[in-house]
Amino acid sequence: MRISELAERSGSSIATVKFYIREGMLPRGEVTSATSAEYGDDHLARLRLISALTDVRGLPLGRVKEILALIDEPDLDPVAVLGRAIGALPPYVNGDRDEYPRAQAVIEALGLTYDPAFSAVPQLEDAIRALEHAGLDTTPGTLRRYADAMRAVALEEVGPLSEMSLPRAISYSVLGTALYEPLMLALRRLAHQHLLSEGTAHRPRRS
Amino acid sequence: MRISELAERSGSSIATVKFYIREGMLPRGEVTSATSAEYGDDHLARLRLISALTDVRGLPLGRVKEILALIDEPDLDPVAVLGRAIGALPPYVNGDRDEYPRAQAVIEALGLTYDPAFSAVPQLEDAIRALEHAGLDTTPGTLRRYADAMRAVALEEVGPLSEMSLPRAISYSVLGTALYEPLMLALRRLAHQHLLSEGTAHRPRRS
């Protein structure tokens, strides 16, 4: 396809496509004449990945480039490379601490894998600390309820990975993490609203 | 307690506490002498709510004030007032559209309550559109899987509401939505990592 079709199908402007090419984020098309080049489905898929990360999730360009570099040269252990790619997604919390005592205790109690290099560990630490500070319930039974729900969701999500090459798996994991998160959160809020709307059982007392 | 103890227990500085009082977000303490005032547990709870919203979730001050105004004068239907309070939380998406066709179809298919005034509806619309655009799975079975997991989580969460006054319920709902969201997302990412770490069944092929 020509650059105009590529732009249209990806939802980006031609100027934006050219910008990504200049930045080295998108490979040049195959030159077919002095004034035109041909682009393929790989270009389109990559452009959609870039667009989802920048336009939808608002990632800084540097973070998107980190992810693209991992896709282009995934010369690490698959678990490590996927962990690093997911670490380029928000939320960005300070991950340079020596210890994450709350996260470590919870992860071990849940029988999950504790690896302090994985960005979700400091994220969990901060989330638990914020809950404690606000006086909300962080007892093991409550945390396990959330963990069980997330494990059930995650189990379905990782299923397709074993059929994928590592570069494809990175793109799938990053997109899936970035784009199903807002879906889940919206569905949780809608479930609350529905439970309150469908009857008076859960409604607070009128003050 | 004195303002110094209030500040210490809330994790805010005295200057910050005084700022919230000047802004009308926190009631003045009971004056006990020309130079001191006494603060109670209500002040502490409110300060922790403000701090969770501003410091942890990064809400603009105007949004926090909206929530506080609803707590102080919840003169609406409980479902409507809770919906408005939750609507002051991020993500902030354009909610002024006439129609949300993707969200409406999904909400109705799931048997949930469709109310386009509720902020999670435009959030769901945008989330589904982003998934479609990136070429990810938005088939009814997949969306139902996420919705079922979120409904199970939500059912436990709304349980305590029926024992609460409306102002207390607003604070509980806002804090619970704002602070369990990061927890869930971290736990989902940790579940992915654990499933990949514990065996090779889900691992992508080495490219």
Side-chain angles (χ1 to χ4, degrees):
Chain A
M1 70 192 94
R2 306 284 283 271
I3 195 168
S4 53
E5 187 186 345
L6 177 68
E8 195 185 322
R9 288 179 61 187
S10 71
S12 303
S13 67
I14 293 178
T16 300
V17 174
K18 287 182 173 172
F19 170 77
Y20 292 143
I21 293 172
R22 278 200 309 278
E23 288 286 316
M25 298 166 72
L26 189 70
R28 292 181 188 283
E30 191 183 340
V31 175
T32 52
S33 80
T35 57
S36 70
E38 186 69 15
Y39 297 84
D41 287 343
D42 285 354
H43 289 92
L44 184 58
R46 191 167 175 111
L47 204 42
R48 285 184 170 156
L49 171 65
I50 298 170
S51 163
L53 296 176
T54 53
D55 302 340
V56 178
R57 284 298 303 250
L59 258 70
L61 219 54
R63 299 285 188 167
V64 180
K65 287 179 177 177
E66 278 177 42
I67 292 169
L68 296 174
L70 290 167
I71 291 174
D72 293 338
E73 284 196 56
D75 57 355
L76 290 167
D77 167 75
V79 179
V81 75
L82 289 170
R84 278 177 53 176
I86 297 303
L89 297 175
Y92 302 121
V93 306
N94 169 19
D96 287 339
R97 288 163 278 180
D98 287 334
E99 293 188 328
Y100 304 99
R102 295 170 183 79
Q104 185 168 4
V106 168
I107 287 169
E108 289 175 357
L110 293 169
L112 297 174
T113 306
Y114 178 69
D115 173 2
F118 184 48
S119 58
V121 171
Q123 288 163 6
L124 181 64
E125 179 77 13
D126 287 3
I128 298 170
R129 194 167 43 192
L131 287 164
E132 284 174 0
H133 187 252
L136 294 185
D137 182 359
T138 57
T139 52
T142 297
L143 297 182
R144 179 171 294 277
R145 221 167 59 211
Y146 288 102
D148 287 349
M150 289 303 102
R151 194 188 162 101
V153 162
L155 192 56
E156 299 279 348
E157 292 170 327
V158 299
L161 282 175
S162 62
E163 302 296 314
M164 294 180 187
S165 68
L166 188 48
R168 173 84 191 87
I170 298 169
S171 178
Y172 168 83
S173 300
V174 166
L175 275 177
T177 300
L179 300 185
Y180 286 109
E181 285 181 349
L183 179 91
M184 280 200 304
L185 299 186
L187 287 171
R188 172 169 170 254
R189 296 183 185 190
L190 287 161
H192 289 146
Q193 184 222 23
H194 175 70
L195 289 166
L196 291 172
S197 299
E198 70 176 351
T200 55
H202 304 294
R203 288 201 195 163
R205 292 183 276 112
R206 272 191 174 277
S207 53
Chain B
M1 71 193 95
R2 307 281 284 271
I3 194 167
S4 53
E5 186 186 345
L6 177 70
E8 196 185 321
R9 289 180 61 187
S10 72
S12 302
S13 67
I14 294 179
T16 301
V17 174
K18 287 182 173 171
F19 170 77
Y20 291 144
I21 294 172
R22 278 201 308 278
E23 287 287 317
M25 297 166 73
L26 189 69
R28 291 180 188 283
E30 192 185 338
V31 177
T32 51
S33 80
T35 58
S36 71
E38 186 68 15
Y39 296 84
D41 287 343
D42 285 354
H43 288 93
L44 183 59
R46 191 169 176 111
L47 204 42
R48 285 185 170 154
L49 171 66
I50 297 170
S51 164
L53 297 175
T54 53
D55 302 341
V56 179
R57 285 296 306 249
L59 259 69
L61 220 53
R63 298 287 189 167
V64 180
K65 288 180 177 177
E66 277 178 43
I67 293 169
L68 296 174
L70 290 168
I71 290 173
D72 293 337
E73 284 194 56
D75 57 352
L76 290 166
D77 167 74
V79 179
V81 75
L82 289 169
R84 277 177 55 176
I86 297 302
L89 298 175
Y92 303 122
V93 305
N94 169 18
D96 287 340
R97 290 164 276 180
D98 287 335
E99 292 188 330
Y100 304 98
R102 294 169 184 81
Q104 183 169 6
V106 168
I107 288 168
E108 290 176 356
L110 292 169
L112 297 174
T113 305
Y114 178 71
D115 173 3
F118 184 48
S119 57
V121 171
Q123 289 163 5
L124 182 65
E125 178 77 15
D126 287 3
I128 298 170
R129 194 167 44 191
L131 287 164
E132 285 175 1
H133 187 252
L136 294 185
D137 182 0
T138 57
T139 52
T142 297
L143 297 182
R144 180 171 293 278
R145 222 169 56 213
Y146 288 102
D148 287 349
M150 289 303 102
R151 194 189 161 101
V153 162
L155 193 56
E156 298 280 347
E157 293 171 327
V158 299
L161 281 176
S162 61
E163 302 297 314
M164 296 179 185
S165 68
L166 188 49
R168 174 85 191 85
I170 297 170
S171 178
Y172 168 85
S173 300
V174 166
L175 276 177
T177 300
L179 300 184
Y180 286 109
E181 284 181 350
L183 178 91
M184 281 200 303
L185 299 186
L187 287 170
R188 173 170 169 251
R189 294 184 186 190
L190 287 162
H192 290 146
Q193 185 222 22
H194 175 69
L195 290 166
L196 291 172
S197 299
E198 70 175 351
T200 55
H202 304 295
R203 287 200 196 165
R205 293 183 275 111
R206 272 191 172 280
S207 54

